[in-house]
Amino acid sequence: MSINEITFSDLTLKDVKTNETVNTFIQAANDYLGAIGYTEHGYRHVSLVSSVAENILKSLGYPKRLQELAAIAGYVHDIGNVINRQDHGQSAALISMHILRQIGFTPDEIALIVSAVGNHEEEIGEPVNPVAAALMIADKSDVHKTRVRNPNVGQFDIHDRVNFAVDKSFLKIDKEKKLISLNLNIDTKISQVIEYFEIFMLRMNMCKKAAKFLDCKFELIINERKLL
């Protein structure tokens, strides 16, 4: 379906952010993940993913309405964790579909958002539309020490250690070069670069696939060295 054939509403991210159910589920989902030892998936994460997903499509010149839908998809993409971590992308898509319909989004808009949300997990996700591609890259590029919730450094697992070692993370989009670059600064006294690849290689491959859908290349730069 062409963008010109899609029926749009005038609803925005603000309408989603002020929805009580959405915010309750984001908080509860983050609490549940904390209870089982996962990194932060709350307002910090979803707000950042929302902003980055929007910026990716904005930087690449996509229509403003698709930018807005990418921002919305980023905000709701993890609410499925309120049910279970397993298959949380599909759960989030179904929950979002119900809530977005209640808010008043059009079926076309809902289809774009839920297909993006349902495809954001690296094990099964596919960049089925620009909104999905932007969400994938935005979500998988959020690696940073502020996501670590375990206060005991001695009890860090590899995910805690890798995230805690990253003190700088920046996603750069170059429209002219058609290049999307994830720039990380990793403190190798905390975690070796090889550990990043041990746990995140599948995610980086997803980013490459999503970038290709957006007619771009994806590169990973760690400590000023291009590694992917």
Side-chain angles (χ1 to χ4, degrees), residues 151-172:
N152 192 332
V153 177
Q155 295 180 354
F156 277 3
D157 63 13
I158 188 171
H159 288 85
D160 289 333
R161 192 163 57 250
V162 170
N163 273 280
F164 195 74
V166 179
D167 54 29
K168 182 180 179 182
S169 175
F170 178 70
L171 191 71
K172 181 180 179 181

Side-chain angles (χ1 to χ4, degrees), residues 110-138:
I110 295 172
L112 284 168
I113 293 169
V114 300
S115 62
V117 172
N119 276 283
H120 84 268
E121 296 178 72
E122 60 267 26
E123 295 84 1
I124 58 173
E126 295 290 340
V128 293
N129 58 54
V131 174
L135 173 58
M136 288 175 175
I137 297 170

Side-chain angles (χ1 to χ4, degrees), residues 3 13 16 20 100 104 130 135 141 143-144 161 195 199 225:
I3 186 70
L13 176 62
V16 177
E20 182 180 3
L100 295 172
L135 173 58
S141 64
V143 184
H144 197 265
R161 192 163 57 250
E195 286 191 308
I199 61 174
R225 293 181 61 187

Side-chain angles (χ1 to χ4, degrees), residues 32-225:
Y32 295 163
L33 288 182
I36 60 175
Y38 274 79
T39 52
E40 182 268 335
H41 283 71
Y43 291 116
R44 175 213 159 273
H45 174 63
V46 300
S47 296
L48 178 64
V49 172
S50 172
S51 176
V52 173
E54 179 182 21
N55 187 56
I56 289 171
L57 295 190
K58 180 180 180 180
S59 298
L60 294 176
Y62 280 83
K64 187 169 181 57
R65 190 56 187 166
L66 288 187
Q67 299 171 29
E68 188 75 25
L69 297 184
I72 293 167
Y75 196 74
V76 302
H77 79 282
D78 266 344
I79 60 175
N81 285 302
V82 74
I83 296 175
N84 197 290
R85 180 63 181 171
Q86 184 69 35
D87 299 323
H88 73 278
Q90 285 68 50
S91 299
L94 293 172
I95 294 170
S96 299
M97 178 172 62
H98 178 69
I99 295 173
L100 295 172
R101 184 186 295 132
Q102 286 186 327
I103 294 175
F105 286 86
T106 70
D108 288 335
E109 293 172 323
I110 295 172
L112 284 168
I113 293 169
V114 300
S115 62
V117 172
N119 276 283
H120 84 268
E121 296 178 72
E122 60 267 26
E123 295 84 1
I124 58 173
E126 295 290 340
V128 293
N129 58 54
V131 174
L135 173 58
M136 288 175 175
I137 297 170
D139 182 42
K140 303 314 171 191
S141 64
D142 184 19
V143 184
H144 197 265
K145 65 190 309 177
T146 52
R147 298 197 69 184
V148 178
R149 293 194 274 192
N150 186 348
N152 192 332
V153 177
Q155 295 180 354
F156 277 3
D157 63 13
I158 188 171
H159 288 85
D160 289 333
R161 192 163 57 250
V162 170
N163 273 280
F164 195 74
V166 179
D167 54 29
K168 182 180 179 182
S169 175
F170 178 70
L171 191 71
K172 181 180 179 181
I173 301 98
D174 191 320
K175 181 181 179 181
E176 299 304 318
K177 294 182 179 179
K178 295 186 176 181
L179 183 64
I180 299 175
S181 306
L182 176 58
N183 293 264
L184 302 177
N185 187 63
I186 294 181
D187 185 343
T188 55
K189 294 179 181 178
I190 299 173
S191 175
Q192 295 298 310
V193 172
I194 189 64
E195 286 191 308
Y196 179 88
F197 285 98
E198 284 181 27
I199 61 174
F200 289 143
M201 194 63 206
L202 193 59
R203 299 183 187 185
M204 294 301 96
N205 285 333
M206 172 180 250
C207 288
K208 287 175 65 177
K209 185 187 296 185
K212 183 177 180 180
F213 184 92
L214 298 172
D215 196 29
C216 292
K217 290 184 178 181
F218 177 82
E219 67 177 14
L220 173 65
I221 300 172
I222 297 180
N223 296 346
E224 300 184 351
R225 293 181 61 187

